[in-house]
Amino acid sequence: MALDPVLQQLVDQLPSVPPGPVDYPTLRAQAAAMIPMIVGPGGRIDVASIEDRQIETRDAKVPLRIYRPSTEPTGTLHYIHGGGWAIGDLDTVDHTIRRLCRDLSMVVVASSYRLAPEHPFPAGFDDSLAAARWIAANRSSLGGDSLPAIIGGDSAGGNLATAICIAIRDEPQEGRPFDAQLLLYPAVDLDAGENDYPSRVRDADPTLRRASLTVCVADYAQGADTADPRLSPLKADDLSRLPRALTVVLSVDPLRDEAVAYAGRLRDAGVRSELLEFDHLTHGFVHFAGIIPAAAEATDEVVARLQALLANG
């Protein structure tokens, strides 16, 4: 399947990952260096305010960045960045969070986490869970108690968001911490082999090769049981009583089929679950909305579908 031609030009410029052990410091530096290019000629989108803060846990200081829209807030979004559990931070997704803050007119709280392989599972999960609990406890000072709260993320961030929803579902609390999930091309089956899903066998996404995915999972899990629902939400026995979900997938993405399976299992468990699929785009497309018109159009559709899911829930 041919990619969008403008996106293909960008993909052709991306540095290739050399064979052998992964040099994570170099990959992190490359990701940071790309940001000025992918922000786009329009520059960073203005929002009303941005506040950095930290949550202190027993094991770590979890960084948060709170974005407030210029218009009346319509709710709260907790966003967890991707990057294979090993790359990325609040700065690398800043341009994307600004767009979501503006377009959703929501207070967006972006959280980061300790990265693998230096900090393997459950560090990333624990940090993201601490952030989710803080956001749920502070809804009134964020987007408002009476307005929707969403948890979401892309790729590894989508993995963490799904796992968090399962983990906190049965915790004693008043009300539901989150009303919806926004799952952007999430990894939900870290227990899968390279040939368990047709989308992995095809290995058709030039931005996320099956071999790279396998390495990222191994460096994050580091010997943990990958069937643990905190690693593989698709392996959870019970997916009932979870927040309604919008799952976004790409036709070429090796993660496509497991995400489709997860959306189906949610639906079978009685959860309102919607699936949105795009052709001609790659893993990570939301971060290219400032320079790829097709990515901007797709991101607009994601926002519209999420708003409809909230309105009709």
Side-chain angles (χ1 to χ4, degrees), residues 250-306:
L250 297 313
S251 297
V252 300
D253 192 339
L255 297 175
R256 175 199 179 274
D257 290 351
E258 64 197 73
V260 170
Y262 189 76
R265 278 204 61 203
L266 286 175
R267 196 176 304 113
D268 292 343
V271 176
R272 180 168 179 186
S273 172
E274 297 190 6
L275 187 70
L276 178 60
E277 182 165 6
F278 294 106
D279 296 327
H280 314 304
L281 295 174
T282 62
H283 196 88
F285 75 90
V286 294
H287 304 304
F288 302 140
I291 55 172
I292 307 294
E297 292 172 7
T299 303
D300 289 344
E301 187 171 350
V302 170
V303 167
R305 286 286 294 271
L306 181 60

Side-chain angles (χ1 to χ4, degrees), residues 86-293:
I87 300 168
D89 56 24
L90 297 180
D91 291 335
T92 58
V93 293
D94 174 77
H95 62 296
T96 299
I97 303 303
R98 289 169 179 263
R99 180 178 296 272
L100 292 173
C101 178
R102 180 197 66 185
D103 294 351
L104 287 168
S105 190
M106 285 189 167
V107 175
V108 183
V109 184
S111 69
S112 193
Y113 45 90
R114 289 169 289 168
L115 299 175
E118 297 91 339
H119 302 283
F121 173 82
F125 172 84
D126 288 345
D127 292 355
S128 301
L129 179 59
R133 286 172 171 157
W134 183 90
I135 291 162
N138 288 275
R139 282 176 65 162
S140 60
S141 62
L142 296 169
D145 271 333
S146 62
L147 296 171
I150 305 165
I151 184 169
D154 62 293
S155 192
N159 166 272
L160 293 166
T162 59
I164 286 166
C165 284
I166 295 168
I168 66 178
R169 173 183 53 196
D170 298 322
E171 290 183 352
Q173 57 208 333
E174 294 183 6
R176 176 182 285 176
F178 295 99
D179 303 289
Q181 304 174 69
L182 173 60
L183 308 177
L184 298 168
Y185 35 91
V188 292
D189 188 1
L190 275 59
D191 196 45
E194 290 188 345
N195 299 315
D196 285 355
Y197 295 101
S199 59
R200 293 203 185 194
V201 174
R202 285 194 300 271
D203 198 18
D205 192 332
T207 67
L208 180 61
R209 290 301 186 189
R210 181 177 62 181
S212 296
L213 176 61
T214 300
V215 171
C216 286
V217 169
D219 286 344
Y220 175 49
Q222 291 195 26
D225 178 8
T226 51
D228 185 325
R230 295 174 297 169
L231 284 166
S232 296
L234 186 61
K235 296 301 175 82
D237 292 333
D238 179 14
L239 295 181
S240 66
R241 298 179 292 111
L242 292 173
R244 70 196 86 158
L246 173 63
T247 304
V248 180
V249 298
L250 297 313
S251 297
V252 300
D253 192 339
L255 297 175
R256 175 199 179 274
D257 290 351
E258 64 197 73
V260 170
Y262 189 76
R265 278 204 61 203
L266 286 175
R267 196 176 304 113
D268 292 343
V271 176
R272 180 168 179 186
S273 172
E274 297 190 6
L275 187 70
L276 178 60
E277 182 165 6
F278 294 106
D279 296 327
H280 314 304
L281 295 174
T282 62
H283 196 88
F285 75 90
V286 294
H287 304 304
F288 302 140
I291 55 172
I292 307 294

